């Protein structure tokens, strides 16, 4: 499997209803709910890009943008 | 079946007409006295590439034809009282979602399982108000096999024109009666095809935005326009709404598209009405006995006439009113406890002159039954 | 096409409660369709009534939101008319197995190629949390204050017995597996049933003291096991998940009808 590196967590604050599923199940405790009960990446540096938060978000509000840990051209292709 | 003279059963005449009108999809559940419609279509539809399905019940049957209609097919189901009761839910859906379909109800005695093999005309009011909520409905009927043919084609044409379910109310006598039928040449009776949208791919198609004439051009499911269909009140894209003006507008549209076109939907036949002192009003099988009485009395010089209704709903109030304007008595001949009589009384200037001649015992109403009522009216005793 | 391009985004955020599992099922379903690279015009989604049925409004396919329990009957009409379409029928547990139970077993019996997804939250959410045919014996509900005395259906066994040729179960916790199963179900040439255990924290979870959405998903994690696992032998109360039936050999209904038409036409000529 190709290794991937996080670019960013894109979280749609309009769509997020603050259920906390992503926070609860994140294996590295990357995510938290803010004072408005919206998810945000508090510790993005710890993200291992498992994508479970994205897959389990019932609001379809999270998108984990990643890039391949490879040559530059391959990285470009993947993110396009 | 080729054009020409046939000797067939009423249910078979209905099948011939449905195929003539372009029926492509039938789903149903066996029930007396409508089953011959399914049996004949099971033979005929596959031969023309159409679909015949027997499903698990009448609920599934009406739902399946609605689904098929959405893909662009002309569709039909057939049933009788108990099955018609089960279909009310789907009927309401087809009204709300404006899906063309034809529902044949070969009426038998009710309520409940009632008299499965006996004639009745007891579902007239159920056809009108069986589905919940305010709505308009089209219900047609016929008394001869030739008329069954023409009215069945009319049912399909009307369903397609107004994008609405049309109920064909036959009765056990008409459904099971055998007599001659002349199947017309293709094209001799005009058939109406689905009005399709001409909007090209990429243009904003509004499935529920009526044209000025009230008609809705349709895009087939599976085609290039994607939209939503729902039984909820909806906007012009088909998405649910509770916005009061849209709810009001849609309900008015559903009722007005039929009410405003009642004249073109209305079919009737008249016999000796010009100078009639006594006007008989009848429909379906009962109209055959009524016509027999009228023709016999005319020979004796009595001024009787018959108005035979072929469109029951929307009720032809103005036709009944004008045809009965000079009548001393109006006798409604039907096989129920006065379901059309009630509407006739609302239509005429003197409701007290409207009399019911009926039978409700599962026996076909005969000329003698009608003559007995006439004797009473004419003061001749029982 | 990114799976979010299948959404009618203008209707988001959706109407489901915070933590409702149905949104996870929606995500899995759309990822499965994305993986199969199916075009929007080639999918008809037919739903009934209930929380689950609102899924139709959110997806940019041909969508048919029908009557309570009747989705499979409408879908049968669509599929028989245009067999090339991918017909997907998301249903709730009451929708599919109480009011729609008869349509469910008969669609399975015919083996008509469509994908039935039972989003099982063991309750009627839309009407306020009443007990459903998939509520367990002893469960509590807004109208089962003294405990539910009904027994629940096992969707997998029911679908198998009724003749479905693809039968699977997953949960919202196992989102990757759910996506994979739905993908296989859509590709399956017959009637496919996928039960997805989907949490209703608002009613079922609250009434049965199962905690919030995350705790309910933990319950799915801890109380399910892959089909055929040793764990099931040791602990029979575990719920198995995975693919139970996958039989591409049984004749499919639309194909059989096509052959029937050919026979009828030969006989007529």
């Amino acid at each position: 499997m190709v290794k991937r590196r996080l670019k960013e967590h894109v979280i749609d604050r309009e769509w997020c209803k603050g259920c906390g599923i992503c926070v609860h199940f994140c294996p590295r405790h990357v995510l938290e709910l803010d004072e408005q009960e919206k998810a945000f990446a508090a510790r993005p540096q710890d993200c291992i890009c498992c994508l479970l938060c994205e897959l389990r978000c019932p609001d379809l509000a999270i998108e984990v943008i990643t890039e391949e840990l490879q040559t530059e051209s391959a990285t470009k292709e993947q993110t396009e | 079946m080729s054009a020409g003279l046939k000797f067939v059963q009423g249910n078979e005449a209905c099948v011939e007409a449905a195929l003539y009108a372009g029926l492509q999809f039938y789903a149903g559940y066996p029930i007396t006295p409508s089953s011959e419609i399914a049996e004949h279509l099971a033979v005929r539809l596959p031969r023309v590439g159409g679909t015949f399905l027997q499903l698990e019940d009448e609920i599934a049957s009406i739902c399946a034809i609605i689904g098929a209609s959405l893909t662009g097919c002309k569709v039909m189901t057939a049933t009788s009282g108990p099955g018609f009761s089960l279909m009310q839910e789907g009927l309401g859906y087809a009204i709300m979602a404006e899906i063309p379909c034809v529902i044949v109800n070969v009426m038998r005695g009710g309520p409940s399982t009632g008299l499965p093999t006996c004639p009745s005309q007891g579902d007239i009011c159920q056809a009108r108000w069986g589905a919940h909520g305010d709505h308009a409905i089209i219900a047609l009927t016929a008394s001869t096999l030739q008329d069954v043919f023409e009215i069945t084609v009319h049912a399909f044409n009307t369903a397609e024109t107004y994008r609405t379910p049309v109920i064909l109310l036959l009765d056990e006598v008409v459904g099971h009666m055998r007599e001659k039928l002349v199947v017309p040449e293709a094209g001799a009776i005009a058939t109406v095809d689905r009005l399709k949208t001409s909007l090209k791919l990429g243009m904003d198609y509004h499935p529920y935005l009526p044209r000025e004439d009230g008609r809705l051009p349709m895009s087939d499911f599976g085609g290039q326009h994607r939209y939503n269909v729902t039984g909820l009140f909806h906007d012009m894209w088909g998405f649910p709404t509770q916005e009061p003006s849209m709810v009001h507008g849609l309900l008015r549209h559903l009722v007005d598209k039929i009410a405003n076109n009642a004249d073109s939907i209305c079919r009737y036949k008249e016999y000796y009405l010009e100078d009639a002192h006594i006007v008989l009003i009848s429909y379906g099988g009962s109209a055959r006995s009524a016509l027999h009485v009228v023709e016999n009395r005319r020979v004796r010089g009595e001024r009787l006439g018959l108005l035979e209704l072929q469109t029951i709903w929307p009720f032809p109030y103005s036709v009944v009113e004008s045809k009965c304007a000079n009548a001393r008595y109006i006798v409604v001949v039907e096989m129920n406890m006065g379901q059309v009589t009630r509407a006739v009384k609302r239509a005429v200037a003197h409701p007290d002159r409207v009399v019911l001649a009926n039978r409700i015992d599962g026996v076909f109403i005969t000329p003698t039954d009608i003559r007995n009522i006439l004797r009473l009216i004419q003061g001749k005793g029982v | 096409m990114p799976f979010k391009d299948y959404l009618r985004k203008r209707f988001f955020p959706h109407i489901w409660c915070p933590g409702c599992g149905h949104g996870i099922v929606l995500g899995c379903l759309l990822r499965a369709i994305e993986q199969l690279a199916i075009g929007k015009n080639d999918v008809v989604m037919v739903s009934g009534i209930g929380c689950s049925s609102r899924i139709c409004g959110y997806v940019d396919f041909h969508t048919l939101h029908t009557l309570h329990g009747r989705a499979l009957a409408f879908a049968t009409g669509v599929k028989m008319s245009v067999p090339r379409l991918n017909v997907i029928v998301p249903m709730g547990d009451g929708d599919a197995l109480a009011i729609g139970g008869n349509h469910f077993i008969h669609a399975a019996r015919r083996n008509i190629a469509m994908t039935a997804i039972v989003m099982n939250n063991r309750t009627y959410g839309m009407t306020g949390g009443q007990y459903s045919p998939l509520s367990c014996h002893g469960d509590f509900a807004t109208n089962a204050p003294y405990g539910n005395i009904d027994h629940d259906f096992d969707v997998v066994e029911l679908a198998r017995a009724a003749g479905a040729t693809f039968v699977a179960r997953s949960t919202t916790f196992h989102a990757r597996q759910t996506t994979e199963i739905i993908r296989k179900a859509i590709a399956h040439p017959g009637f496919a049933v996928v039960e997805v255990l989907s949490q209703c924290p608002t009613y079922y979870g609250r009434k049965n003291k199962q905690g919030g959405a995350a705790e309910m998903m933990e319950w799915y994690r801890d109380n399910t096991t892959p089909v055929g696992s040793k764990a099931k032998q040791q602990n029979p109360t575990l719920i198995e998940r995975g693919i139970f039936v996958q039989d591409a050999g049984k004749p499919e209904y639309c194909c059989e009808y096509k052959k029937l038409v050919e026979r009828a036409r030969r006989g007529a000529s």
Side-chain angles (χ1 to χ4, degrees):
Chain A
M1 203 171 131
V2 190
K3 281 223 164 192
R4 305 195 69 85
R5 178 173 66 199
L6 178 77
K7 278 187 78 180
E8 63 172 324
H9 292 85
V10 178
I11 299 176
D12 190 318
R13 294 177 59 82
E14 289 287 313
W15 292 18
C16 173
K17 291 177 181 159
C19 66
I21 289 173
C22 56
V23 178
H24 188 91
F25 288 112
C26 177
R28 290 289 185 274
H29 310 289
V30 171
L31 297 154
E32 283 182 17
L33 293 185
D34 64 17
E35 66 283 355
Q36 290 175 305
E37 304 258 297
K38 304 285 181 188
F40 76 104
R43 285 167 289 279
Q45 67 279 8
D46 295 343
C47 178
I48 54 169
C49 306
C50 68
L51 304 188
L52 284 173
C53 57
E54 181 181 321
L55 291 170
R56 289 191 185 130
C57 174
D59 302 323
L60 309 184
I62 306 178
E63 203 173 337
V64 184
I65 313 282
T66 62
E67 58 191 352
E68 257 179 46
L69 278 176
Q70 273 185 349
T71 60
E72 251 178 48
S73 63
T75 308
K76 191 159 173 274
E77 213 168 83
Q78 280 294 326
T79 50
E80 262 175 8
Chain B
M1 190 182 278
S2 53
L5 182 66
K6 321 282 172 193
F7 184 70
V8 293
Q9 194 191 45
N11 284 340
E12 204 177 343
C14 177
V15 165
E16 293 306 328
L19 293 167
Y20 186 94
L23 175 70
Q24 293 159 292
F25 190 105
Y26 175 96
Y29 187 81
I31 185 166
T32 304
S34 76
S35 299
E36 296 84 1
I37 292 176
E39 288 169 359
H40 285 288
L41 283 171
V43 175
R44 301 287 302 284
L45 263 176
R47 287 185 188 163
V48 294
T51 306
F52 170 88
L53 292 183
Q54 177 172 304
L55 294 179
E56 54 271 21
D57 56 26
E58 289 87 348
I59 301 170
S61 302
I62 190 165
C63 294
I65 67 165
I66 293 168
S69 184
L70 265 171
T71 67
C73 297
K74 287 190 178 180
V75 302
M76 180 172 97
T77 184
T79 187
S80 187
F84 191 54
S85 292
L86 290 180
M87 287 184 181
Q88 297 305 320
E89 182 191 36
L91 180 64
Y93 186 91
I95 291 168
M96 179 59 114
E98 302 190 65
I99 315 287
C101 54
V102 174
I103 299 141
V104 185
N105 174 2
V106 187
M107 292 182 284
R108 64 192 226 185
S112 189
T113 314
L115 295 163
T117 60
C118 300
S120 164
Q121 294 171 321
D123 303 348
I124 302 296
C125 286
Q126 185 186 21
R128 179 64 191 88
W129 288 117
H132 58 273
D134 282 313
H135 60 275
I137 197 79
I138 298 172
L140 311 172
T141 185
S143 66
T144 70
L145 266 54
Q146 203 61 47
D147 288 350
V148 166
F149 191 97
E150 289 182 16
I151 289 294
T152 302
V153 175
H154 182 49
F156 278 90
N157 288 349
T158 312
E160 294 295 338
T161 303
Y162 302 105
R163 277 192 56 174
T164 190
V166 173
I167 300 160
L168 190 53
L169 290 169
L170 304 182
D171 53 70
E172 189 275 339
V173 165
V174 171
H176 282 164
M177 176 177 66
R178 286 180 186 275
E179 65 179 2
K180 73 169 184 181
L181 167 71
V182 180
V183 175
E185 297 286 345
I189 304 178
T191 56
V192 175
D193 285 326
R194 183 90 37 106
L195 181 67
K196 302 280 176 82
T197 180
S198 55
L199 277 183
K200 299 275 186 297
L201 180 66
M203 295 175 79
D204 193 9
Y205 168 61
H206 301 95
Y208 288 101
L209 182 65
R211 301 196 312 193
E212 273 187 21
D213 61 0
R215 293 187 71 185
L216 293 175
M218 202 159 173
S219 175
D220 297 343
F221 254 46
Q224 56 188 6
H225 298 290
R226 295 181 303 280
Y227 57 99
N228 191 55
V229 175
T230 177
L232 293 164
F233 275 93
H234 45 269
D235 60 21
M236 61 185 173
W237 290 277
F239 291 107
T241 181
Q242 295 184 30
E243 209 277 299
S245 67
M246 284 194 208
V247 171
H248 182 267
L250 176 54
L251 188 54
R252 281 257 49 119
H253 161 72
L254 294 178
V255 171
D256 290 348
K257 71 177 180 180
I258 292 171
N260 294 346
N261 292 291
D263 288 346
S264 51
I265 297 165
C266 178
R267 293 280 181 99
Y268 63 92
K269 293 169 94 172
E270 57 176 286
Y271 304 88
Y272 312 106
L273 283 182
E274 309 77 33
D275 60 345
H277 287 162
I278 298 179
V279 172
L280 273 55
I281 298 179
S282 192
Y283 53 92
S286 305
R288 298 176 73 94
S289 292
L291 180 60
H292 185 87
V293 171
V294 168
E295 287 178 335
N296 273 287
R297 295 273 170 135
R298 276 282 165 181
V299 174
R300 288 157 48 179
E302 291 187 34
R303 288 160 73 172
L304 262 68
L306 170 66
L307 173 62
E308 182 191 338
L309 305 179
Q310 294 182 314
T311 301
I312 305 284
W313 308 116
F315 193 76
Y317 286 103
S318 57
V319 170
V320 170
E321 185 190 18
S322 63
K323 301 292 179 190
C324 296
N326 299 315
R328 292 176 191 166
Y329 286 101
I330 299 137
V331 181
V332 182
V333 182
E334 53 182 338
M335 289 184 284
N336 57 51
M337 297 177 87
Q339 298 188 23
V340 163
T341 306
R342 198 173 307 151
V344 170
K345 285 189 175 183
R346 287 177 62 187
V348 299
H350 301 284
D352 52 316
R353 296 179 189 171
V354 178
V355 177
L356 170 64
N358 71 345
R359 272 195 94 131
I360 54 165
D361 57 357
V363 178
F364 183 62
I365 189 163
T366 62
T368 305
D369 297 321
I370 301 167
R371 276 194 292 268
N372 289 340
I373 298 294
L374 290 175
R375 284 179 66 85
L376 282 173
I377 293 170
Q378 293 167 329
K380 294 177 185 169
V382 182
Chain C
M1 183 182 336
F3 85 93
K4 280 192 179 174
D5 285 1
Y6 289 111
L7 290 175
R8 288 167 173 153
K9 289 180 188 162
R10 62 189 180 281
F11 297 125
F12 278 72
H14 55 57
I15 62 155
W16 294 311
C17 301
C20 172
H22 290 0
I24 305 177
V25 181
L26 170 61
C28 294
L29 172 61
L30 293 183
R31 287 182 183 95
I33 294 171
E34 177 199 9
Q35 289 168 16
L36 291 166
I38 302 174
K40 293 178 177 183
N41 276 348
D42 297 325
V43 178
V44 175
M45 192 173 282
V46 188
S47 70
I49 294 293
C51 297
S52 63
S53 77
R54 301 308 287 255
I55 206 169
C56 255
Y58 298 122
V59 292
D60 191 12
F61 304 126
H62 303 281
T63 54
L64 179 53
H65 178 228
T66 69
L67 297 164
H68 196 27
R70 317 298 176 213
L72 286 169
F74 281 87
T76 298
V78 172
K79 180 70 181 179
M80 286 300 288
S81 300
V82 192
R84 68 170 172 81
L85 293 170
N86 294 283
V87 177
I88 301 171
V89 187
M91 294 176 285
D93 41 310
D95 197 33
L97 292 149
I99 191 164
N102 204 32
H103 307 308
F104 181 83
I105 57 174
H106 286 276
R109 178 177 61 83
R110 291 185 196 104
N111 195 36
I112 184 165
M114 52 177 74
T115 311
I117 299 171
V118 182
M119 298 153 77
N120 176 12
N121 57 14
R122 302 194 190 279
T123 191
Y124 288 91
M126 189 68 88
T127 47
Q130 294 80 15
Y131 62 95
S132 88
L134 295 185
S135 298
C136 303
H137 188 80
D139 276 355
F140 292 92
T142 50
N143 62 345
Y146 310 113
N148 177 28
I149 61 168
D150 287 20
H151 297 278
D152 58 319
F153 276 131
D154 181 325
V155 182
V156 166
E157 291 308 317
L158 183 71
R160 188 208 305 263
T165 49
F166 183 102
V167 182
R169 180 191 284 129
S170 188
T171 86
T172 50
F173 177 83
H174 305 90
R176 272 210 177 86
Q177 183 187 29
T178 302
T179 303
E180 189 191 325
I181 283 176
I182 293 176
R183 177 167 55 79
K184 288 177 177 166
I186 294 171
H188 176 72
F191 190 71
V193 176
V194 179
E195 179 192 12
V196 185
L197 302 182
S198 174
Q199 71 276 7
C200 172
T202 303
Y203 290 111
Y204 187 83
R206 191 158 49 85
K207 280 285 169 188
N208 292 286
K209 299 192 166 42
Q210 289 201 351
E215 288 75 24
M216 294 180 80
M217 289 170 71
E218 281 183 335
W219 192 95
Y220 294 154
R221 179 192 65 198
D222 300 338
N223 291 278
T224 63
T225 183
V227 58
S229 70
K230 274 190 182 165
K232 175 74 178 172
Q233 291 163 11
Q234 286 153 6
N235 180 5
T237 62
L238 292 177
I239 299 167
E240 287 181 296
R241 59 185 157 75
I243 297 171
F244 296 78
V245 178
Q246 193 169 11
D247 169 16
K250 184 175 169 181
E252 192 276 329
Y253 198 64
C254 297
C255 297
E256 289 299 289
Y257 191 80
K258 197 177 163 201
K259 288 186 221 161
L260 180 153
V261 166
E262 283 160 14
R263 285 200 299 276
R265 284 184 151 159
R266 272 202 306 275
S269 60

